[in-house]
Amino acid sequence: MTSDNNIMVILSSPSGVGKTTLTKKIQQKYQSFKISVSYTTRPPRSNEVNGVDYHFVKKAEFEELIKENKFYEYAKIFENYYGTLKTNVDETLKKNDIIFDIDWQGTKQLSKFENLKLIKIFLITENKEEIKKRLKNRNQNTDSELEKRYNSFDEEIKYWNDYDYILINKNLDVCFKQIENIILNNKKNFSTFFQKSA
Ligand code: 5GP
């Protein structure tokens, strides 16, 4: 497979919709997919591994990388920086498809690179209360973090127009199947398109 056929799938959603689980499920099933490992200044959670879930860095290091123009995109979310390093993406794309778990700000920035073959998917729950339940069950945030994440729902859904697909994650298996169909269809379309225009 040449890099011309490789695609980039963005999954965005308000916090607590199940994006990380779905991202991991795709990578487990499709060996061709690598998850883009972001840089962040957020402290690791107890179950997170440096270099696997994120590259955890200090604020000064992150700001240096911004200054050196090393990111395809970055954003400040809940008072921490998150960003996608250009070299990581470029290297991965040579051999693999990539899946990004990034927010709407990053999606906007990546969309400006016209050479990138992006498929943009926005996930939501069937209602806002469901988010609160899932965030609580996840038990990864303090009460004030939880409140901030819950309150960001209204802000984030304002940007769903920027996406190619909106999916409701009511049932994880159904939602996964929908994502699979989107990926398989687009992979077909992208390779046809690039063969024709070559
Ligand atoms: P969390 O702290 O729960 O891991 O992530 C918080 C938010 O940051 C999520 O919405 C996630 O999609 C987003 N995020 C993670 N990595 C990146 C990144 O590299 N760039 C951008 N723009 N957002 C990211």
Side-chain angles (χ1 to χ4, degrees):
M1 173 121 353
T2 68
S3 60
D4 278 355
N5 288 320
N6 293 339
I7 56 173
M8 306 167 77
V9 176
I10 297 180
L11 282 190
S12 298
S13 73
S15 204
V17 175
K19 184 180 35 176
T20 309
T21 311
L22 285 160
T23 308
K24 289 189 175 155
K25 254 172 100 74
I26 292 163
Q27 206 233 325
Q28 276 156 12
K29 179 152 178 191
Y30 295 96
Q31 301 297 313
S32 73
F33 269 98
K34 296 285 175 224
I35 297 175
S36 167
V37 181
S38 299
Y39 277 61
T40 186
T41 57
R42 168 170 78 60
R45 296 179 185 133
S46 58
N47 59 338
E48 288 178 327
V49 178
N50 192 21
V52 176
D53 297 288
Y54 282 105
H55 298 285
F56 295 98
V57 294
K58 297 259 177 289
K59 195 171 167 214
E61 190 182 335
F62 198 102
E63 286 174 340
E64 194 55 34
L65 291 167
I66 297 175
K67 235 190 268 166
E68 292 168 1
N69 195 24
K70 300 278 191 199
F71 290 110
Y72 265 126
E73 63 77 29
Y74 69 91
K76 210 165 197 182
I77 308 165
F78 311 122
E79 282 135 43
N80 287 300
Y81 283 120
Y82 294 81
T84 306
L85 213 63
K86 285 180 183 166
T87 49
N88 285 3
V89 173
D90 293 344
E91 268 312 299
T92 308
L93 262 187
K94 287 183 188 163
K95 290 198 183 135
N96 292 96
D97 300 301
I98 310 188
I99 185 148
F100 296 89
D101 169 346
I102 62 173
D103 81 331
W104 62 270
Q105 304 174 77
T107 305
K108 262 193 199 304
Q109 293 170 50
L110 277 184
S111 300
K112 291 191 187 135
F113 293 90
E114 285 174 6
N115 57 323
L116 302 180
K117 286 168 259 174
L118 296 175
I119 300 166
K120 298 177 270 185
I121 304 175
F122 192 85
L123 300 168
I124 49 168
T125 46
E126 67 268 37
N127 60 51
K128 201 172 155 186
E129 280 313 301
E130 183 61 27
I131 292 264
K132 198 169 223 171
K133 222 163 67 190
R134 291 192 199 181
L135 281 172
K136 272 204 173 132
N137 285 345
R138 197 162 80 171
N139 206 17
Q140 285 172 337
N141 305 107
T142 62
D143 283 352
S144 78
E145 279 169 352
L146 194 144
E147 204 54 30
K148 241 185 269 171
R149 283 170 183 255
Y150 175 66
N151 288 333
S152 71
F153 181 90
D154 295 328
E155 177 63 16
E156 289 177 49
I157 62 165
K158 279 189 204 154
Y159 299 94
W160 63 6
N161 260 346
D162 292 345
Y163 290 78
D164 304 313
Y165 302 89
I166 316 288
L167 300 180
I168 298 173
N169 182 16
K170 190 166 180 187
N171 172 298
L172 195 74
D173 291 332
V174 173
C175 191
F176 180 61
K177 193 85 213 141
Q178 289 171 323
I179 295 174
E180 277 187 294
N181 286 339
I182 291 171
I183 289 172
L184 295 173
N185 273 327
N186 276 281
K187 193 125 174 102
K188 219 164 49 195
N189 290 344
F190 273 129
S191 57
T192 312
F193 172 73
F194 275 87
Q195 273 161 18
K196 271 190 191 148
S197 58

